[in-house]
Amino acid sequence: NGLNTFHYRTDMRFNKKQLCGVVVLYNPACDVADSVMTYSNQVDHLYIVDNSDKPADKQVLDSIKKIKNAEYVSNGKNLGIS
């Protein structure tokens, strides 16, 4: 359901390195947040990139918003990165 990538970034506020992850979605299922939660516990920050042509279902968005260290990005189209 997605490409999982990890990289480091430096938090300039505290001058410390953080481990970040990226999950790419395409037409995510309603239970995708459960899977994504397993990644969020392993990184400092998680980017969730949605390559779907249509906006994600409200239930999916609401469940993703509950992930505290995640940032959801909707591309509005499939950019082919997964």
Side-chain angles (χ1 to χ4, degrees), residues 1-18:
N1 203 1
L3 172 71
N4 307 313
T5 309
F6 297 95
H7 68 89
Y8 287 96
R9 75 175 184 178
T10 301
D11 187 333
M12 299 310 285
R13 296 170 296 174
F14 304 108
N15 197 24
K16 75 172 196 173
K17 291 193 182 220
Q18 295 183 325

Side-chain angles (χ1 to χ4, degrees), residues 4 6 12 20 23 26 38 44-45 48 56 64 69 79 81:
N4 307 313
F6 297 95
M12 299 310 285
C20 300
V23 177
Y26 184 75
T38 63
D44 296 304
H45 192 81
I48 303 169
I64 287 174
N69 63 332
L79 298 178
I81 59 174

Side-chain angles (χ1 to χ4, degrees), residues 34-72:
D34 294 335
S35 298
V36 171
M37 281 255 212
T38 63
Y39 305 129
S40 71
N41 295 328
Q42 299 175 32
V43 296
D44 296 304
H45 192 81
L46 184 65
Y47 295 96
I48 303 169
V49 181
D50 191 349
N51 263 354
S52 304
D53 296 328
K54 298 177 185 176
D57 182 89
K58 182 180 178 342
Q59 179 182 354
V60 172
L61 292 176
D62 288 346
S63 60
I64 287 174
K65 286 179 185 177
K66 292 178 184 176
I67 304 171
K68 294 179 178 146
N69 63 332
E71 182 176 338
Y72 176 82

